[in-house]
Amino acid sequence: MDITAAPLDAAAVTAAAARTSDGAVATFVGIVRSENAGRQVLWLDYEAYAPLALKAFEGIAREAASHWPDVRLVIHHRTGRVEIGEASVVIAAASPHRAGAFAACRYAIERIKQIAPIWKHEHFAGGDVWIEGATADAADEAARAAALERACA
Amino acid sequence: MRVTIRLFARLRELAGASELDRIVPDGSTALDVWNGLAEEFPALAAYTKAISVAVNEDYARLTVGVRDGDDIAFLPPVSGGSGERVSV
């Protein structure tokens, strides 16, 4: 798990997740796109409460392990200024079989968006805005169930 | 007792500080600490229903009692990962 201001390396995250017993790794790369809600995005600034974010990632990995015991998750999230097309988050889920890898990877991104203490400051043509999504509540079972439902859809 | 308060993202901007030391009465809850902060920085009050709190780098409930020396972080709604805002 990592929170870093350095550019993310999806291949390294993928390699870190895979063990010799694995037959599949699902790697998700979230990248900064040039348009959001009708605004022309120039770049994003990510801010994190790093020690708590790392604990959140570990907690998400434990949750995933309770559903897919053979899956290993590795999550790296970027902070600071991230340009259009650059990766803000990389998630690799390794598993002996593909079904668990895909599901755990999807579960992880849904949970990150719900509970990781990370904030996106969007700089767009003409201004800037903090994007505010979910009130983080790691104990909210309904949110957890919603993430599981999306993972298994 | 003395506590350290951490603020992030929009909350940090509204208060103009990422870290503050404050004296709070014995028996205060995290919510009491927040309410004191919202009196000091009225712009924060709009976030009262939307914040999360972490005490000593672990998520906590706003009703939790705080102790001398605690590190209390107030968190606006999160937006990590990528893409659209979340709806739960």
Side-chain angles (χ1 to χ4, degrees):
Chain A
M1 306 299 182
D2 198 18
I3 303 279
T4 176
L8 301 181
D9 181 343
V13 178
T14 302
R19 301 147 295 187
T20 55
S21 56
D22 289 323
V25 188
T27 301
F28 172 81
V29 182
I31 62 175
V32 175
R33 67 162 181 276
S34 59
E35 181 276 336
N36 185 40
R39 300 185 292 263
Q40 184 195 342
V41 178
L42 303 176
W43 75 87
L44 298 180
D45 258 312
Y46 281 92
E47 178 172 334
Y49 184 19
L52 187 61
L54 290 170
K55 286 183 184 175
F57 293 169
E58 296 291 352
I60 290 166
R62 281 195 300 275
E63 290 175 10
S66 75
H67 296 290
W68 305 282
D70 294 334
V71 169
R72 175 153 76 173
L73 271 177
V74 177
I75 302 167
H76 289 194
H77 204 298
R78 184 126 174 232
T79 55
R81 177 168 169 156
V82 186
E83 306 292 341
I84 306 299
E86 289 187 333
S88 55
V89 62
V90 178
I91 302 164
S95 167
H97 304 288
R98 68 184 179 280
F102 276 122
C105 189
R106 177 72 192 268
Y107 181 79
I109 185 63
E110 300 294 341
R111 289 298 276 157
I112 287 169
K113 291 160 76 75
Q114 291 172 345
I115 65 166
I118 300 173
W119 300 271
K120 183 165 32 188
H121 192 188
E122 180 187 303
H123 295 260
F124 60 91
D128 64 274
V129 62
W130 285 98
I131 307 297
E132 293 177 342
T135 295
D137 182 355
D140 181 351
E141 287 300 327
R144 192 174 157 176
L148 186 61
E149 189 177 355
R150 285 181 204 125
C152 298
Chain B
M1 55 187 178
R2 178 181 294 272
V3 297
T4 299
I5 298 167
R6 293 179 195 279
L7 298 171
F8 292 90
R10 185 76 178 128
L11 303 185
R12 171 177 55 73
E13 286 188 347
L14 289 172
S18 58
E19 198 176 316
L20 298 162
D21 282 320
R22 289 293 179 272
I23 305 293
V24 300
D26 286 354
S28 293
T29 64
L31 183 59
D32 294 331
V33 176
W34 170 261
N35 286 337
L37 204 62
E39 276 184 31
E40 187 178 350
F41 305 100
L44 294 178
Y47 278 86
T48 298
K49 300 285 186 203
I51 51 165
S52 304
V53 66
V55 177
N56 301 329
E57 299 182 354
D58 275 313
Y59 278 120
R61 317 307 298 184
L62 282 161
T63 50
V64 74
V66 301
R67 291 178 296 188
D68 186 51
D70 273 354
D71 181 307
I72 303 167
F74 292 110
L75 316 175
V78 299
S79 56
S82 60
E84 282 302 310
R85 47 176 74 199
V86 204
S87 53
V88 178

